[in-house]
Amino acid sequence: MSINLIKNELELADPDFRNGLVDNFTKIEKEINNLDSINNGDQVTNEELQVAKKELNEKLDELKNDFIQDNEALKERINRILLGVDVESIEIVVNRILNEKGVSK
């Protein structure tokens, strides 16, 4: 399939602008036709689509599992913070208070 773009029919007052547009359209037309000729015989088979679908579903399941694990870890941390037993957050708060009081730097 060959694509023909309108390029020489442009009537613009500025010849440099017109020539630039014509040159751009000519290059675009050439690249589109080149891509079209390269991909002419490349048809994706149903089997390839099924394999790609399976791979995407596996990746999606992996992402879902990662999300669930991260969500659970976050819930556990929130619970520790609420109970006042999260060591990391306690250290941050204590250090901030000590810095504000000028005791620690």
Side-chain angles (χ1 to χ4, degrees):
M1 175 174 90
S2 180
I3 296 175
N4 293 314
L5 298 174
I6 298 172
K7 48 192 178 290
N8 289 326
E9 294 81 8
L10 294 174
E11 295 181 22
L12 301 170
D14 182 6
D16 291 333
F17 182 69
R18 181 191 178 282
N19 290 338
L21 284 176
V22 170
D23 186 50
N24 286 342
F25 280 120
T26 303
K27 288 177 183 175
I28 291 170
E29 179 183 52
K30 179 182 174 189
E31 291 302 319
I32 289 172
N33 289 329
N34 186 33
L35 287 173
D36 190 43
S37 67
I38 290 172
N39 294 328
N40 206 11
D42 295 345
Q43 298 295 323
V44 178
T45 64
N46 192 32
E47 183 177 319
E48 291 171 326
L49 285 174
Q50 293 302 324
V51 169
K53 182 179 177 183
K54 181 182 177 193
E55 289 173 0
L56 287 173
N57 282 332
E58 288 172 358
K59 289 286 186 185
L60 183 59
D61 289 341
E62 204 175 295
L63 288 171
K64 284 179 187 176
N65 290 335
D66 289 346
F67 176 77
I68 290 169
Q69 289 175 353
D70 291 344
N71 192 27
E72 288 300 317
L74 183 59
K75 284 180 187 177
E76 290 172 7
R77 175 114 194 260
I78 289 171
N79 286 333
R80 287 194 310 271
I81 291 170
L82 291 173
L83 294 172
V85 294
D86 186 63
V87 176
E88 184 181 345
S89 62
I90 292 171
E91 286 178 358
I92 291 170
V93 171
V94 169
N95 284 328
R96 185 172 290 155
I97 292 171
L98 291 174
N99 287 338
E100 287 176 4
K101 299 296 181 183
V103 178
S104 170
K105 292 184 182 182

